Amino acid sequence: MTGIPGVGKTTLLSKIVEIIKSHGKSVNVVSFGTMMFEIAKENGLKDRDELRKLSVTEQQNLQKIVAEKIAALNDQIVIIDTHAFINSPEGYYPGLPEHVLKIIKPTNFVSVSAKSEEIYNRRMKDDTRNRDKITLINIKKELEYQSGMISACVVITGSPVRHILNNEGKVDEAVDKVISSIGL
Amino acid sequence: MTGIPGVGKTTLLSKIVEIIKSHGKSVNVVSFGTMMFEIAKENGLKDRDELRKLSVTEQQNLQKIVAEKIAALNDQIVIIDTHAFINSPEGYYPGLPEHVLKIIKPTNFVSVSAKSEEIYNRRMKDDTRNRDKITLINIKKELEYQSGMISACVVITGSPVRHILNNEGKVDEAVDKVISSIGL
Amino acid sequence: MTGIPGVGKTTLLSKIVEIIKSHGKSVNVVSFGTMMFEIAKENGLKDRDELRKLSVTEQQNLQKIVAEKIAALNDQIVIIDTHAFINSPEGYYPGLPEHVLKIIKPTNFVSVSAKSEEIYNRRMKDDTRNRDKITLINIKKELEYQSGMISACVVITGSPVRHILNNEGKVDEAVDKVISSIGL
């Protein structure tokens, strides 16, 4: 499951997990970024922001280790909480590059989106320090790249993507769509 | 040749075939979906809608068989009538995933598009049962994913895509563009 | 570095080279298209427009030779001046197809964009012969495919893309973003 910051992915995720459990299925939600940081900590990293400062090779190594851990999970349903890309000074880093996809072999993608105005409002409320950097034009650009990168993931893996428009006040509709996309 | 439902692909295709024949070339139009269903029928499937209910592995096997049949065709020009993606409850399934592209090795892509309002009107006329589900916002999203997935196909194969805007009342212009894209 | 014609890539590039040199780094700007034509000339080609008329196999061979030459360069920073796609009668040819990416292994992508109206005005001024073919709707479509193809490149390679909006009169801002994306 991917979604740029401000689309309301976290709320969506917790509701989805509840429903999957009510179907009697075992479910495991893993955050790709958190797992990367945990492994990096074992190698001496202290701050999550330092992740970005690693060389591309080091980052890809970390991604590979995380991907292998995820591929080894035994739960009936594994949800990967991640991003189509991570915004950094170098630009948009792919959250699910081909070398990771070949290891994890995801069966379904969910791409969470929202109206750019709603994303804007959520970011302005959440990230009061960086308000001046938040612009509608950038959010629209991020949504465009999210669709583009997920499209590439879909063509590479052959697995489908469910596009979810998470409209303010209509979380339950969005949750229903995700649940039906995994056949529950 | 790909195009979401309602862009007017069928009309376009029959005109293109006519012109190619008038150039004295042998041409074969194969529908990827129909071929998949025919092979599935030999294995006991009865209804085309059941195709979607097959497991991802079974679907990919079917796609592989169809791709190999297409790759073996001897006509001077083979046109594959397909979609960038198929809309299903699981989401957008790629019509031309990488494993299929590697077998077929298409030399040219044609991506048929139209104004979202015209697509909307055609769908409302054609699919009277599901009128309530047809929305402009979804059509725009589909057009965005069509471009995204075809872009991935182009980067993976190295072959060009001709983007065709099939405007109402200007079919002949669209036909001319397709014909010139294959060098006739 | 990619950008459709009219985004102001050339001006941007010369300023970037200046700044990289002022940091005491060796930098080499190579134009992918020019290198392709030079190698083709050694094989008898006379006009750059003939490049497009080569068969897909011949073009891919040329791309491969150029990619290998670029991969062998020893400069601290190599900037490839290219396009996400090349517009031709066959459609949009990928400037960086997968087989080229696997050889060059780019560490960073920069995708230069601009407001479609500004691109329109620059093209109308530069290409007075083909003014009637320049339309806003085509430019918007090209920008969409540029994002789509670069997204595919990013997912395939795992390297980040910095999206640069090169607004009229704000070149220095755009230059700063590129420079920071490569960590200088």
Side-chain angles (χ1 to χ4, degrees):
Chain A
M1 179 177 284
T2 65
I4 63 172
V7 294
K9 195 176 51 163
T10 313
T11 319
L12 208 61
L13 251 176
S14 70
K15 293 205 174 211
I16 289 163
V17 168
E18 229 172 82
I19 294 180
I20 295 176
K21 281 186 182 160
S22 77
H23 278 83
K25 302 262 182 194
S26 75
V27 56
N28 197 342
V29 180
V30 294
S31 160
F32 204 97
T34 306
M35 282 178 79
M36 269 183 76
F37 179 46
E38 274 163 18
I39 290 160
K41 268 200 294 192
E42 294 168 17
N43 297 310
L45 216 78
K46 269 162 198 156
D47 188 331
R48 195 154 166 165
D49 285 339
E50 288 177 48
L51 266 181
R52 282 179 196 157
K53 291 170 193 157
L54 298 175
S55 73
V56 172
T57 321
E58 286 171 312
Q59 293 207 33
Q60 294 194 343
N61 256 329
L62 277 176
Q63 285 180 315
K64 189 167 169 273
I65 297 170
V66 171
E68 281 161 356
K69 284 198 178 218
I70 291 174
L73 292 174
N74 284 317
D75 308 82
Q76 290 175 296
I77 293 171
V78 175
I79 302 175
I80 305 171
D81 180 5
T82 186
H83 299 278
F85 60 84
I86 298 101
N87 205 344
S88 81
E90 289 79 32
Y92 303 149
Y93 261 102
L96 293 165
E98 186 171 15
H99 77 100
V100 165
L101 293 170
K102 297 286 186 199
I103 298 171
I104 299 184
K105 299 192 183 81
T107 55
N108 297 75
F109 294 94
V110 175
S111 178
V112 187
S113 179
K115 282 183 192 141
S116 38
E117 290 77 10
E118 292 180 3
I119 297 174
Y120 180 84
N121 291 337
R122 285 202 198 105
R123 288 194 188 177
M124 289 299 269
K125 218 170 59 187
D126 291 355
D127 189 0
T128 44
R129 279 183 311 167
N130 293 303
R131 277 193 173 168
D132 53 319
K133 288 186 199 155
I134 302 168
T135 65
L136 259 180
I137 199 166
N138 278 343
I139 291 170
K140 282 179 183 168
K141 187 47 64 180
E142 289 182 27
L143 288 173
E144 194 183 325
Y145 272 98
Q146 169 161 284
S147 299
M149 295 213 194
I150 288 296
S151 294
C153 294
V154 163
V155 171
I156 288 169
T157 58
S159 299
V161 60
R162 189 75 154 102
H163 179 84
I164 303 290
L165 190 66
N166 190 23
N167 278 342
E168 195 86 60
K170 295 196 171 175
V171 186
D172 289 336
E173 255 181 48
V175 170
D176 284 351
K177 283 179 187 166
V178 179
I179 293 295
S180 81
S181 81
I182 54 172
L184 286 182
Chain B
M1 180 179 283
T2 66
I4 62 172
V7 294
K9 196 176 49 163
T10 313
T11 319
L12 208 59
L13 251 177
S14 68
K15 293 206 174 213
I16 289 164
V17 168
E18 229 172 82
I19 294 180
I20 295 177
K21 282 185 182 160
S22 77
H23 278 83
K25 301 264 182 192
S26 75
V27 56
N28 197 341
V29 180
V30 295
S31 159
F32 204 98
T34 305
M35 283 178 78
M36 270 183 75
F37 179 45
E38 273 163 17
I39 290 161
K41 268 200 294 191
E42 293 168 17
N43 298 310
L45 215 79
K46 271 163 196 152
D47 188 332
R48 194 153 167 167
D49 285 339
E50 288 177 49
L51 266 181
R52 282 181 196 154
K53 291 169 192 156
L54 298 175
S55 74
V56 173
T57 320
E58 287 172 311
Q59 294 208 33
Q60 294 194 343
N61 256 329
L62 276 176
Q63 286 180 313
K64 190 168 170 273
I65 296 170
V66 171
E68 282 161 356
K69 284 198 178 219
I70 292 173
L73 292 173
N74 283 318
D75 308 83
Q76 290 176 297
I77 293 172
V78 175
I79 302 177
I80 305 171
D81 179 5
T82 187
H83 298 277
F85 59 84
I86 297 101
N87 205 344
S88 81
E90 290 79 32
Y92 303 148
Y93 262 102
L96 293 165
E98 186 170 15
H99 76 100
V100 164
L101 293 170
K102 297 287 186 198
I103 298 171
I104 299 184
K105 300 193 183 81
T107 54
N108 297 76
F109 294 94
V110 175
S111 178
V112 187
S113 180
K115 282 184 191 141
S116 39
E117 290 78 12
E118 292 180 3
I119 297 174
Y120 180 83
N121 291 336
R122 286 201 197 104
R123 288 194 188 177
M124 289 299 269
K125 219 170 59 186
D126 292 354
D127 188 1
T128 44
R129 280 183 312 166
N130 293 304
R131 278 194 173 166
D132 53 318
K133 287 185 198 157
I134 302 168
T135 64
L136 259 179
I137 199 166
N138 278 343
I139 290 170
K140 282 179 185 169
K141 187 46 67 181
E142 289 182 27
L143 288 172
E144 194 184 325
Y145 272 97
Q146 169 161 284
S147 299
M149 295 212 195
I150 288 294
S151 293
C153 294
V154 163
V155 171
I156 288 170
T157 58
S159 298
V161 60
R162 188 75 153 104
H163 179 85
I164 303 290
L165 192 66
N166 189 23
N167 278 342
E168 195 87 62
K170 296 197 172 173
V171 186
D172 289 335
E173 254 180 50
V175 170
D176 283 350
K177 282 179 187 165
V178 179
I179 293 294
S180 81
S181 82
I182 53 172
L184 286 182
Chain C
M1 178 178 284
T2 66
I4 62 172
V7 294
K9 197 176 50 164
T10 313
T11 320
L12 208 60
L13 251 176
S14 69
K15 293 206 173 210
I16 289 164
V17 168
E18 228 172 84
I19 293 180
I20 295 176
K21 281 186 181 159
S22 78
H23 278 83
K25 301 262 184 193
S26 74
V27 56
N28 197 342
V29 180
V30 294
S31 160
F32 204 96
T34 305
M35 282 179 79
M36 270 182 77
F37 179 46
E38 274 163 16
I39 290 161
K41 269 199 293 191
E42 294 167 17
N43 298 311
L45 216 78
K46 270 163 197 154
D47 188 332
R48 195 154 166 165
D49 285 339
E50 289 177 47
L51 265 181
R52 281 179 197 155
K53 292 170 192 157
L54 298 175
S55 74
V56 173
T57 321
E58 287 171 312
Q59 294 207 34
Q60 294 193 344
N61 256 330
L62 276 177
Q63 286 180 315
K64 190 168 169 273
I65 296 170
V66 171
E68 280 161 357
K69 283 197 178 220
I70 292 174
L73 292 173
N74 283 317
D75 308 82
Q76 289 176 298
I77 293 172
V78 175
I79 302 176
I80 304 171
D81 180 6
T82 187
H83 299 278
F85 60 84
I86 298 101
N87 205 344
S88 81
E90 290 79 31
Y92 303 148
Y93 261 102
L96 293 166
E98 186 171 14
H99 77 100
V100 164
L101 293 170
K102 298 286 186 199
I103 298 170
I104 299 184
K105 300 193 182 82
T107 54
N108 297 75
F109 294 94
V110 175
S111 178
V112 187
S113 179
K115 283 183 191 140
S116 38
E117 289 78 11
E118 292 180 4
I119 297 173
Y120 179 84
N121 291 336
R122 285 201 197 105
R123 288 194 187 177
M124 289 298 268
K125 220 171 59 185
D126 291 355
D127 188 2
T128 44
R129 279 183 312 168
N130 294 302
R131 277 193 174 166
D132 53 318
K133 288 187 197 154
I134 303 168
T135 65
L136 258 179
I137 200 167
N138 278 344
I139 290 170
K140 281 178 184 169
K141 187 46 67 179
E142 289 182 27
L143 288 172
E144 195 184 324
Y145 272 97
Q146 169 161 283
S147 299
M149 296 212 193
I150 288 294
S151 293
C153 294
V154 163
V155 171
I156 288 169
T157 58
S159 298
V161 60
R162 189 74 153 105
H163 179 84
I164 303 290
L165 191 66
N166 190 23
N167 277 343
E168 195 86 61
K170 294 195 171 173
V171 186
D172 289 336
E173 255 180 49
V175 169
D176 283 351
K177 283 180 189 166
V178 179
I179 293 294
S180 81
S181 82
I182 54 172
L184 286 183

